[in-house]
Amino acid sequence: MSADSSPAPVTGAEPGQWRTVATRFLRHRLAVAALAVLTLVALFAFVGPLLWHYGYDEITPDNSRPPSAAHPLGTDSLGHDLLAQVMRGTQQSLLIALSVALGAALIGTVTGVVAGFHRGKTDALLMRVVDLFLTVPTIAVAAVLGHNFAGKSGWFLIAAVLAALMWTTVARVVRGVVLGLREREFVAAARALGASNTRIMVSHILPNIAGPIIVSVTILVASAILAETALSFIGFGVQPPDTSLGLLVANAQSAVGTRPWLFYSPGVVILLIALSINFIGDGLRDALDPAQTRGPRRRRYLAKPVERTGVIPGDVLLSVRDLRVVFAAPGDDVPAVRHLDLDLRRGEVVGLVGESGSGKSVTAAAIMGLLPPAATVSGSVRLDGQELVGLAEPRYRRLRGRRVAMVFQDPMSSLSPVHTIGDQVAEAVRVHQGGSWAAARDRAAELLDVVGVPDARNRLRDYPHQFSGGMRQRVVIAMAIANDPDLIIADEPTTALDVTVQAQVLAALRAVRERTGAAILLITHDLGIVAEVADRIAVMYAGRLVETGTAADVFDSPAMPYTRGLLESVPRLDRPADEELWAIPGSPPTMTALPSGCAFAPRCARRTAECDESEPGLRQVSDGHLAACLHLTVERTPR
Amino acid sequence: MEILGFALRRLLVAVPVLLVSTFLIFLTVAGSGDPLTELRERQPPVPPETITAEEVRLGLDQPVLERYGDWLTGVVRGDFGPSVNRNASIAVEIGTRLGVTMRFVLVAMLVAAVLAILVGVVSAVRQYSWLDYLFTSAGFLFLAMPSFWLAILLKQGGIQFNRATGTETFYMIGDRSVPPPPTFLAQLADVAGHMILPTVTLVLIHFAVWSRFQRSSMLEVLNSDYVRLATAKGLPRRTVLRKYALRTALTPLITVIALDFTAVFAGAVITETVFQWRGMGDYLLSSINARDVNAVMAWLLVAALAVMVFNLVADILYAALDPRIRHVR
Ligand code: SF4
């Protein structure tokens, strides 16, 4: 993200974008293989008949022959050469399926764009039409219509009938995407500039939905092949003397036992076409929407604790040494946390501060043992002397929620939408303390009361969607204190909330600390919050700790240029509160391509040649105040 | 109750569209040719009075608009009109055949849904394991498999199995034995024996799609914050999976299954023809061939009604499973 990145209006797909899509598609080996197979099948169907010496309607003197050199696929009881027939059938089926897909894409896109763009009555009416099409089995209506038209004028009418029945899937997909796009800035901007609706639809919306359309139309080709062959199979599609793959299977069905060659080859061709189209569709989806691309394939969760020599002082609750977390990713492994040392004393509130991507949330997940399988952890995390790195899952589970509890960022998504509040809080009590549901529910009401949920007892039966964001976060905090934990990790607990609510939730956290004496690791990018509650502050940059000290140390005399930059950044009223603002030029480094020296060097005003040579370690500024910088200068910033 | 009102309102909006489309289909079938061709060309010739009487009985002597009007008023009163086949009442035919078809459609859907949930959950929880790969490949295979081809394949397999074991384990023709076996239990076993292969066909075709869907919705839920929080609470993995992940991942599947009912029904039409059942599929195809407008219209209406009932059930289930829907006004 560059500092001046504004929502860029996407007015058309640039050629470069399509090139990356092509590259990504080519990386999808199955899809490429499928494309090759489909190309071969198409050649077989359209070029094959020109080269093969039997015509599909030619009657040879050899009838009912099994496959031989003269007739590679055998002949039927009338003496038709099956290879010629399968080629003709494939040709017909492909022609029909492609026309169906094109027609359906056209009708579906227009309907979807119009419905999604205009919404309201137009949308309702169009969607009812779509519903209606979904109400009757396609094959039935196609049979009714097919009986009327198809016999007379061949593949084109069958294609028209099927397209008229199959456009609805495309319409639904397109409508969904358009509904989402409509609210985006660039559409609003175009409208503000006075562009007409048609113009907006054609030049701003269409290019942005090309991806989903391409994918759903590709898949549609496969459905169309299956629909056409089924239709021909029941006798309402392609009619003799012409032939189609479905018709060939139908003719062979009574003779599977006696002349199996007639049955297998047309079926296998259908299967091959549909299969390769589905794989191509899959590859296209991954190429067009990389967000959905699969993660690494192998499970690589490894955790090896390091030996520790030093004695951990008795008042230290959590002691992290040399913590490293690496994520396996396609291509290169990505480090997320690098050599982190951190101590938390009992009852202490430590603010862990940094930009998103600095590794602070990964650190939290590592302490909780909640990292995804792709992550490798090493180093040492000791809670009250117990080593957590490499701890077996059943023992880890007994720590979670009992000794260490967690509060997540977004209260809107961290509660199960289908269970009641009372159930979820009572469950947190019961999982570690056992007892009856009734007792647990009583305790849940008490806990909710502590965190300031009004009328708690009567709200136990409510569902999360009946609570406001701030109230939900209180519920999550109530669950966190259900078992009097020693440590609460709060990962951006107020970021998703309104400013006014933020203060209340913070107050609830503070009350919880007074009451339970739990230590709190408060992860945030908002220095204002840290200033209010934290005893000590740890600043992270690019996966490393760059400065740590008491709140007074760090706020009054920041030693590292990055920390100073953070403190100088002034919150501005004209941007949403959750946007991260730093008065520091440039952006954080890519974790796969870290600078060789100080990771902050590219953005640092104080950078010298030395800074690029080796990564500075933490050095003492004053007692208990450490910073990772070669040019430590302790200035007292006026507050 | 709110959900019923919602469904009814949706139905009301659909009425005009429904009217237009029934009219169009009526025109199409009525225009597809003379249903009495066979009667007219019969040798020795049928007396002209008989043909005229038939024309009057079927309303062929009237303009098509009037015929549509008659059909509509009849349907509103619950009368599907006369069938080209003089000896059969449309309502009675459809009644018995719907039973035959729905029997295996419902069983197949139930089995496919249960399998899809199991397979989807296993492949999501064990993502990228050999089981996941196996199920994924099977899913792709059956997704691309033409149902009629699979049906014939299974039928052939059944024949070979019977021959190899010298038993009559599978039945390949019809939906029951004629004449039926004497006792009730034997009849039940007989019907079940006839049902196995067609049901397996439908199950294989549809469970593939559904399990893919269940897998991805389960994966999405597994990555959700509330599953992470449930884990962070210290709940055992089993509880997290069953109570939090599966429970929420089920709701979207219900919608998909309900929407897919039409597809299953269509699959049943095809499968029935392979196994020569006297079900809805056979009735539709023979009615189209006989140019029996009233029968075709009745068939489509009943199918549409079945779909609507199914969607309603799905809506109600959905509301029962998801409190957010339940409380929407
Ligand atoms: S080491 Fe050099 S580049 Fe890094 S923060 Fe200090 S002065 Fe800046």
Side-chain angles (χ1 to χ4, degrees), chain A residues 107-146:
Chain A
I107 312 175
T109 306
V110 171
T111 320
V113 169
V114 170
F117 191 78
H118 286 292
R119 299 191 300 187
K121 283 218 170 74
T122 323
D123 182 35
L125 183 71
L126 286 173
M127 283 306 110
R128 285 297 83 75
V129 176
V130 169
D131 282 354
L132 193 81
F133 274 90
L134 295 172
T135 305
V136 177
T138 311
I139 194 91
V141 182
V144 172
L145 299 177

Side-chain angles (χ1 to χ4, degrees), chain A residues 134 148 397 408 413 424 427, chain B residues 28 32 225 228 233-234 244:
Chain A
L134 295 172
N148 213 6
R397 178 182 80 68
F408 287 106
S413 64
Q424 295 185 57
E427 185 181 45
Chain B
T28 314
S32 73
D225 280 353
R228 287 208 322 150
K233 278 203 280 194
Y244 287 90

Side-chain angles (χ1 to χ4, degrees), chain A residues 560-561 598 600-601 604 606-607 611 616 629-631:
Chain A
M560 148 107 194
C598 174
F600 185 61
C604 185
R606 217 177 273 248
R607 172 190 197 172
C611 300
C629 176
L630 293 175
H631 306 293

Side-chain angles (χ1 to χ4, degrees), chain A residues 19 40 53 79 94 108 151 158 166 183 201 221 231 238 254 363 381 467 520 568 583 613:
Chain A
R19 205 169 310 131
L40 285 180
H53 47 272
L94 279 179
I158 302 173
M166 295 180 83
E183 304 307 319
M201 279 191 255
V221 179
L231 197 60
V238 176
S254 56
T363 305
V381 177
F467 277 61
I520 297 179
E568 279 161 12
E613 277 162 25

Side-chain angles (χ1 to χ4, degrees), chain A residues 460-494:
Chain A
L460 290 179
R461 282 171 176 283
D462 284 352
Y463 287 92
H465 70 270
Q466 292 160 298
F467 277 61
S468 69
M471 282 299 150
R472 288 192 212 187
Q473 197 62 306
R474 286 170 203 237
V475 173
V476 175
I477 296 173
M479 291 200 287
I481 58 169
N483 300 290
D484 283 323
D486 302 321
L487 171 63
I488 298 173
I489 302 176
D491 189 354
E492 303 266 10
T494 59

Side-chain angles (χ1 to χ4, degrees), chain A residues 124-125 128-129 131-141 143-145 147-149 152 172 226 229-231 233-234 236 245-246 249-250 252-253 256-258 263-268 270-272 274-276 278-279 282 293-299 365 368 370 393 397-398 400-402 404-410 413-419 423-425 427-428 431-432 437 463 465-466 476 479 483 491, chain B residues 9-11 13-14 17-18 21 24-25 27-29 31-33 125-129 133 136-137 140-150 152-153 155-156 160 212 224-237 239 243-244 247-248 251 259 261-263 265-267 269-270 273-276 284-286 288-291 296 299-301 303-305 307-308 311 321-328:
Chain A
L125 183 71
R128 285 297 83 75
V129 176
D131 282 354
L132 193 81
F133 274 90
L134 295 172
T135 305
V136 177
T138 311
I139 194 91
V141 182
V144 172
L145 299 177
H147 176 66
N148 213 6
F149 302 127
K152 295 154 201 164
R172 282 179 157 241
L226 293 178
T229 49
L231 197 60
F233 176 80
I234 55 174
F236 295 99
L245 294 173
V249 175
Q253 67 169 318
V256 192
T258 50
F263 168 73
Y264 289 105
S265 46
V268 168
I270 303 175
L271 188 64
L272 217 55
L275 200 59
S276 45
N278 284 339
F279 278 127
D282 223 36
T293 311
R294 306 137 195 241
R297 306 209 145 201
R298 255 168 297 125
R299 201 183 168 83
M368 288 297 287
L370 289 179
E393 179 56 28
R397 178 182 80 68
R398 260 167 268 145
R400 285 191 206 115
R402 192 168 61 89
V404 207
M406 187 142 184
V407 176
F408 287 106
Q409 172 169 353
D410 188 359
S413 64
S414 52
L415 291 169
S416 159
V418 297
H419 296 97
D423 180 19
Q424 295 185 57
V425 180
E427 185 181 45
V431 63
H432 295 295
W437 274 107
Y463 287 92
H465 70 270
Q466 292 160 298
V476 175
M479 291 200 287
N483 300 290
D491 189 354
Chain B
R9 242 173 296 137
R10 229 168 48 162
L11 217 62
V13 186
V17 195
L18 196 70
S21 45
L24 288 179
I25 292 180
L27 278 191
T28 314
V29 186
S32 73
V125 173
R126 303 240 174 282
Q127 196 185 6
Y128 305 130
S129 67
Y133 281 117
T136 303
S137 326
F140 267 106
L141 191 70
F142 287 116
L143 196 60
M145 184 92 73
S147 53
F148 52 92
W149 197 67
L150 179 64
I152 300 174
L153 215 58
K155 192 172 163 183
Q156 188 59 24
Q160 248 137 36
R212 297 300 300 155
S224 72
D225 280 353
Y226 56 83
V227 164
R228 287 208 322 150
L229 187 66
T231 314
K233 278 203 280 194
L235 292 173
R237 181 135 173 94
T239 316
K243 179 167 174 179
Y244 287 90
R247 175 75 162 70
T248 19
T251 7
L259 274 177
F261 174 73
T262 31
F265 206 80
V269 168
I270 309 265
T273 61
V274 173
F275 290 95
Q276 294 161 39
L284 175 72
L285 303 187
S286 56
I288 295 177
N289 279 327
R291 302 185 176 97
V296 170
W299 194 99
L300 291 175
L301 265 189
L305 210 66
V307 171
M308 283 175 192
N311 284 342
L321 282 175
D322 194 334
R324 283 168 297 183
I325 308 286
R326 200 151 64 223
H327 293 113
V328 162

